[in-house]
Amino acid sequence: ALKRFLAIVMVALFCCGFVPQQKASRKEETSQKASRQEEASQKGISFLQTDAIKSLFINRDTLRATASANQALHLDPNYAPALHLLARIVKSDSAAVQYAKRAYLSDTTNHHYLKTYSRKLISNNDYVEATALFKEMVKRSSDPEDFYILTILLGGRASEAIAVVDTALVRFGPSPWFVNQRLKLLLMLGRTQEAEKEAKKAVAEAPYLADNHIALAKVYESTKRDSLALQAYSQAVLVDTVAVEPKYELAHFCKRKGQMTLYILLMQSVFESKEVSLDDKIETWGSLIQDRKSYAQHIKNYDAIISGLHRDYPESRLVRKLYAEHLLRIDKREEALALYKQLLNQKSPSAEDFLTVI
């Protein structure tokens, strides 16, 4: 009876036009593909470009986006929107530069094409051509980032860079980055009195900004007035006791002047800050332990830094490993061994972990 019932159901399904799902999906896919091709031929290049944009930015389908953009270029090799899109898709820096260049040359009035071409040149390490384009770009730009990049690209050409910064200051107002950049450029040109005057003016106008005190400190340091520089760096720390940057600046000033005890104490304070990421702390620790002489002389401070790091990040395998290595260096083998054994109890211990314990 069951077999007869199933047979009746099967016959009924086939009579109603049922087809297996796999065949239906293939037919549907073929139909959709044919429909797309017909639609593309009817609507032409604008349809293909729209499809490329939708595929890239909505569906995240780079293969289809690339195919649609290339189809558009088959209809018009100089179609700038498709060239611009491909410049953003392709992985090869040299290929991206070529697409971006063709897009820009197809429409030199388009600021987006100019910006993409300029940045692709930087990615391809073509700084000479990029500098020329950024000079053109800042004439039209309302984006401070374009001015940042051009100022950096100009490098040692301080006079040109100052002109760019001055234009930016007029257009965007007294941004701290541009103000400090101008001071650096003045010092590069040896215009120390002008730099000092501007730095003092900034401090007088906004004494609550740590950046202003740091800028003045750099002017003093560049003119070998170390006691004044130390006062200015210290004032930056006092003005903003939470921020990390003033402590970094004062710490590295102390290091440059051979004041290693102060340097290590300040770096210890930096490690205690929640503003600094774990990755940055690990990188800084790696730099600190390169100085073996300082390590030996300030072992208690180093121990406080790495033990504090282990306390704050108990789940980090890398921190645990770094702490264990430190313990071995100061001949605390039992404590180090206990930490290495803890590593073996965690998920997926490495062969190196087993070898270290052995």
Side-chain angles (χ1 to χ4, degrees):
L2 179 60
K3 287 183 179 179
R4 185 180 176 189
F5 172 75
L6 290 174
I8 292 170
V9 171
M10 292 295 289
V11 170
L13 286 171
F14 277 108
C15 288
C16 293
F18 172 81
V19 291
Q21 185 61 39
Q22 186 176 2
K23 290 182 179 178
S25 63
R26 285 178 181 173
K27 277 189 175 182
E28 191 177 37
E29 188 179 334
T30 304
S31 174
Q32 287 176 352
K33 187 175 181 182
S35 176
R36 284 200 304 268
Q37 289 174 343
E38 183 181 351
E39 198 172 4
S41 63
Q42 289 175 353
K43 296 187 177 180
I45 200 165
S46 61
F47 170 78
L48 289 166
Q49 180 63 14
T50 302
D51 184 66
I53 292 170
K54 179 183 175 183
S55 298
L56 181 63
F57 296 109
I58 297 177
N59 300 327
R60 307 294 180 187
D61 187 345
T62 55
L63 291 176
R64 178 167 171 174
T66 302
S68 294
N70 279 320
Q71 279 184 277
L73 291 179
H74 182 71
L75 297 176
D76 180 0
N78 296 317
Y79 186 57
L83 291 165
H84 183 243
L85 195 68
L86 286 169
R88 299 176 65 177
I89 294 175
V90 295
K91 301 297 184 186
S92 165
D93 287 336
S94 57
V97 166
Q98 291 307 310
Y99 280 125
K101 182 178 182 180
R102 287 171 59 193
Y104 170 61
L105 293 177
S106 295
D107 184 1
T108 56
T109 62
N110 189 298
H111 184 71
H112 296 294
Y113 299 163
L114 174 58
K115 178 171 280 195
T116 298
Y117 182 29
S118 304
R119 280 160 173 70
K120 293 300 179 184
L121 285 168
I122 291 175
S123 298
N124 204 41
N125 300 319
D126 190 346
Y127 300 116
V128 175
E129 183 68 19
T131 302
L133 286 175
F134 268 96
K135 284 183 179 180
E136 175 62 29
M137 191 150 51
V138 297
K139 294 177 185 177
R140 328 174 180 179
S141 180
S142 58
D143 185 352
E145 185 183 345
D146 297 334
F147 288 82
Y148 300 155
I149 295 172
L150 178 56
T151 303
I152 294 165
L153 282 172
L154 287 168
R157 293 144 69 179
S159 297
E160 286 186 70
I162 280 182
V164 173
V165 169
D166 286 343
T167 303
L169 287 169
V170 170
R171 195 173 297 185
F172 306 114
S175 160
W177 189 90
F178 286 120
V179 171
N180 289 327
Q181 196 66 30
R182 192 175 196 283
L183 289 174
K184 290 178 186 177
L185 293 166
L186 287 171
L187 293 174
M188 284 175 62
L189 291 169
R191 291 157 59 179
T192 54
Q193 289 184 343
E194 187 178 348
E196 184 176 339
K197 183 179 178 181
E198 291 191 13
K200 285 181 175 178
K201 181 183 175 184
V203 168
E205 290 176 351
Y208 49 84
L209 292 178
D211 283 346
N212 290 342
H213 295 279
I214 291 170
L216 181 58
K218 289 182 184 296
V219 173
Y220 287 141
E221 187 179 357
S222 70
T223 53
K224 303 188 186 307
R225 289 176 286 175
D226 291 345
S227 59
L228 290 174
L230 178 60
Q231 288 177 32
Y233 279 124
S234 300
Q235 188 61 33
V237 174
L238 293 173
V239 162
D240 192 344
T241 56
V242 177
V244 172
E245 188 62 27
K247 294 174 185 174
Y248 262 128
E249 292 287 354
L250 177 55
H252 286 288
F253 171 76
C254 292
K255 185 179 181 182
R256 288 191 293 273
K257 302 306 170 184
Q259 301 292 328
M260 294 305 295
T261 301
L262 287 174
Y263 169 67
I264 297 299
L265 285 171
L266 285 161
M267 292 309 296
Q268 190 174 332
S269 175
V270 167
F271 270 85
E272 290 168 0
S273 172
K274 301 299 182 185
E275 286 190 14
V276 184
S277 70
L278 175 58
D279 288 343
D280 286 343
K281 288 177 180 179
I282 289 172
E283 184 179 349
T284 303
W285 173 256
S287 300
L288 284 173
I289 62 175
Q290 295 303 312
D291 189 339
R292 297 298 183 184
K293 182 179 178 182
S294 177
Y295 199 162
Q297 290 177 344
H298 304 94
I299 193 65
K300 288 184 179 179
N301 301 100
Y302 278 80
D303 186 68
I305 289 172
I306 193 62
S307 63
L309 204 58
H310 180 249
R311 180 193 64 241
D312 294 339
Y313 302 92
E315 301 303 317
S316 171
R317 287 176 60 87
L318 182 53
V319 168
R320 188 171 294 182
K321 210 167 190 176
L322 293 173
Y323 187 32
E325 290 171 356
H326 164 75
L327 290 171
L328 284 175
R329 289 191 197 100
I330 60 175
D331 208 28
K332 292 186 177 181
R333 295 179 178 275
E334 291 302 319
E335 292 180 47
L337 182 60
L339 284 175
Y340 278 118
K341 285 181 177 178
Q342 287 176 24
L343 288 173
L344 298 183
N345 293 328
Q346 290 184 331
K347 289 182 179 180
S348 305
S350 66
E352 184 184 351
D353 294 335
F354 282 102
L355 290 171
T356 304
V357 171
I358 293 168

